[in-house]
Amino acid sequence: PRLSGGACQRAARQAQAEPIDQGEISMRIHLAACAFAAFAAPAAAQDHSGHEMGSHANSMAMDHAHHAALTRALAMENRAEDRARDQYRHPFETLDFFEVKPSMTVVDYMPASGWYTRVLVPYLGAEGTYIGLTPDPAAADGERFANYFGGLPEAFLKVAAETTASLDGAGAQMSIYGSQDVPEELKGQVDRVLVFREMHNLLRSGAMYTELMRMRGLLKDDGMLGIVQHRAKSDAPGDYTTGANGYLRQ
């Protein structure tokens, strides 16, 4: 896949904005393609300048509309308590980098307390679909995580109900599944699968391979898996990055 010049610029801005030391990072995909795109753009402009200019203008207009919708979602009253962490989690930059847009079908993996639920449901809009996905208890290699995973769908139903009530029923259609119960017709139909700070739990529970394969099966051919994870320091010992401490190597 190729990245547009606009996507490359957004990626560069996001990469420059985040600290290098320990903290949350987004696993970036296809950044190397930016260099190729930069070389390819001038030739394309010479051969198809009129078409390129028109396409660029349309792209800018769409980006502006998406950004405005995301800004509105982030400013909603149901996020009053969540907003204090925006300065650390950078939800606007994160969702923009993963090119999440209204009307998409998006999986929020292990949505927990619904921090991103309260952004994504209004942002995706009435034509979008929000899916909360939780791990298969049978994929865990121990009883502790099996029991924990088994209780997640029911726990999230309360979050989903509260989100729906706070939006007066507006926003994206919502559903919740354990990964073992995803309907067959949903496979290959998802635009984005987003995993926020949960890869360490998948690693230490033994469920990572099973769950990543199921995520891949949900994605469209041009879909994207977006991962945000706490990053350990570069000199952290191996026994610190097994997942139990919440940090992984980059």
Side-chain angles (χ1 to χ4, degrees), residues 189-231:
Q189 301 302 311
V190 171
D191 296 291
R192 301 287 184 269
V193 175
L194 306 176
V195 187
F196 298 107
R197 299 172 303 281
E198 292 291 354
M199 293 299 291
H200 64 286
N201 282 326
L202 292 182
L203 177 63
R204 66 183 180 140
S205 68
M208 181 178 285
Y209 178 80
T210 297
E211 294 302 308
L212 285 175
M213 291 299 292
R214 288 178 178 172
M215 293 178 208
R216 179 64 187 90
L218 290 172
L219 287 168
K220 296 178 178 179
D221 289 343
D222 61 348
M224 183 189 298
L225 169 63
I227 296 173
V228 176
Q229 178 60 42
H230 292 294
R231 175 180 59 191

Side-chain angles (χ1 to χ4, degrees), residues 155-191:
F156 184 66
L157 286 175
K158 179 181 178 181
V159 173
E162 291 173 349
T163 301
T164 299
S166 69
L167 297 173
D168 294 326
Q173 176 183 340
M174 298 180 66
S175 56
I176 177 73
Y177 301 105
S179 69
Q180 73 279 9
D181 297 324
V182 172
E184 191 68 28
E185 59 269 21
L186 191 59
K187 296 177 181 178
Q189 301 302 311
V190 171
D191 296 291

Side-chain angles (χ1 to χ4, degrees), residues 12 33 38 46 56 71 74 84 107 109 111 126-127 161 165-166 168 172 192 202 221 225 230 238 248:
Q46 291 173 9
H56 181 64
T71 298
L74 290 168
V107 166
Y109 190 81
E127 296 183 4
S166 69
D168 294 326
R192 301 287 184 269
L202 292 182
D221 289 343
L225 169 63
H230 292 294
L248 298 178

Side-chain angles (χ1 to χ4, degrees), residues 203 232-233 236-245 247-249:
L203 177 63
K233 292 182 178 180
D239 59 1
Y240 184 80
T241 60
T242 59
N245 295 296
Y247 290 86
L248 298 178
R249 288 176 172 164

Side-chain angles (χ1 to χ4, degrees), residues 101 103-107 124 128-131 186 189-193 220:
K101 299 174 183 178
S103 303
M104 281 186 168
T105 296
V106 175
V107 166
L124 294 174
T129 300
Y130 172 94
I131 301 166
L186 191 59
Q189 301 302 311
V190 171
D191 296 291
R192 301 287 184 269
V193 175
K220 296 178 178 179

